[in-house]
Amino acid sequence: MKVHEALVVLEDALRDRDDALDDRVEVYNRLVALAADYLNIPHPVTRVQLIPIDTVRGNDYNPNRVAPPEMRLLIRSIQKDGFTMPVVVAGEGKEYVVVDGFHRRQAAKNNRQIRESLGNYLPVVRLEKKLEDRIAATVRHNMARGTHQVELTARLVTLLRRHNWTSERIGRELGMEPDEVLRLKQMEGLAEAFADREFSQAWEVDGSKI
């Protein structure tokens, strides 16, 4: 098989090389990208890349907060077990924004031991999304882990409304039932954002109009 033969040749070449880390990272990223293309499974996790950690910035809408004890535990976990989950980012070139993994990125950026062990790189998977889609992806990641905070999630829903997302779309994209979206309107700052006829005319729960 030609692919197998090419890998054998590549392995032999790599075994004898003593390149700088930056060069090895470049080769690694290219190999992973090619392997992902060959595999042809449409999931971002198949193409983890290493990018300079200083090119990744946190977003300003993340609703998930970690208390100091949990943050210390996260750092300890990475120190003992290594980096087992890539950070999810959006962007390209010299600037990326965190979609999920804000605290993993913080640990890798600010803890000297972890940063040095990663060679100043960060393992990431990249999503190609617009701002509002990134916000929705962040909420979904946090809710799936059961770590989101309702008040802050409500603020994100407000942001989605400002991007002309209907309440129906918010419920569909975030996996929320109509009554869950309705409860969010009670949170601070949402009354005005939801001051329309959408709920009274279009949404029904248990057959009764809201």
Side-chain angles (χ1 to χ4, degrees):
M1 182 178 179
K2 292 183 178 180
V3 173
H4 177 71
E5 293 172 356
L7 288 175
V8 171
V9 172
L10 179 58
E11 288 173 354
D12 290 339
L14 290 174
R15 192 175 296 114
D16 296 330
R17 295 179 69 176
D18 189 25
D19 292 339
L21 178 60
D22 290 348
D23 295 326
R24 283 179 279 142
V25 166
E26 181 179 357
V27 171
Y28 167 84
N29 285 342
R30 292 176 62 188
L31 286 175
V32 170
L34 288 172
D37 289 340
Y38 175 72
L39 185 63
N40 196 30
I41 292 179
H43 289 274
V45 74
T46 64
R47 52 179 73 239
V48 177
Q49 299 281 280
L50 293 172
I51 62 177
I53 192 169
D54 289 328
T55 65
V56 182
R57 64 177 177 85
N59 61 59
D60 55 4
Y61 55 79
N62 181 35
N64 185 19
R65 297 291 183 267
V66 173
E70 283 75 15
M71 190 66 187
R72 289 193 294 268
L73 180 60
L74 173 61
I75 291 172
R76 184 63 174 168
S77 173
I78 296 174
Q79 290 173 332
K80 297 296 291 185
D81 303 322
F83 222 93
T84 60
M85 296 178 63
V87 174
V88 183
V89 302
E92 60 184 345
K94 296 182 178 180
E95 184 175 18
Y96 299 84
V97 179
V98 173
V99 173
D100 182 67
F102 177 84
H103 301 100
R104 296 194 297 279
R105 173 258 186 189
Q106 286 293 93
K109 181 179 177 66
N110 298 328
N111 183 275
R112 186 174 65 179
Q113 178 184 341
I114 297 174
R115 183 176 180 124
E116 289 179 352
S117 70
L118 288 167
N120 294 315
Y121 284 93
L122 188 69
V124 306
V125 294
R126 189 166 69 90
L127 299 180
E128 297 181 4
K129 292 182 177 292
K130 299 179 295 184
L131 175 60
E132 59 267 32
D133 294 319
R134 297 202 305 263
I135 293 172
T138 297
V139 176
R140 284 192 294 265
H141 277 81
N142 287 337
M143 292 180 69
R145 285 195 301 269
T147 57
H148 73 296
Q149 295 182 12
V150 177
E151 295 85 354
L152 293 170
T153 299
R155 297 177 193 172
L156 295 192
V157 171
T158 301
L159 289 177
L160 294 177
R161 290 285 291 161
R162 291 174 183 169
H163 283 276
N164 298 318
W165 281 37
T166 64
S167 302
E168 182 179 8
R169 183 181 179 186
I170 289 171
R172 181 176 66 251
E173 296 289 343
L174 301 185
M176 294 180 181
E177 295 297 326
D179 60 331
E180 292 181 87
V181 182
L182 281 172
R183 282 197 296 269
L184 289 177
K185 75 180 251 186
Q186 306 300 324
M187 308 309 296
E188 182 179 357
L190 279 181
E192 181 178 353
F194 285 85
D196 53 27
R197 299 181 180 179
E198 198 171 335
F199 289 104
S200 61
Q201 295 186 353
W203 284 63
E204 294 186 2
V205 180
D206 296 331
S208 299
K209 291 188 177 181
I210 299 172

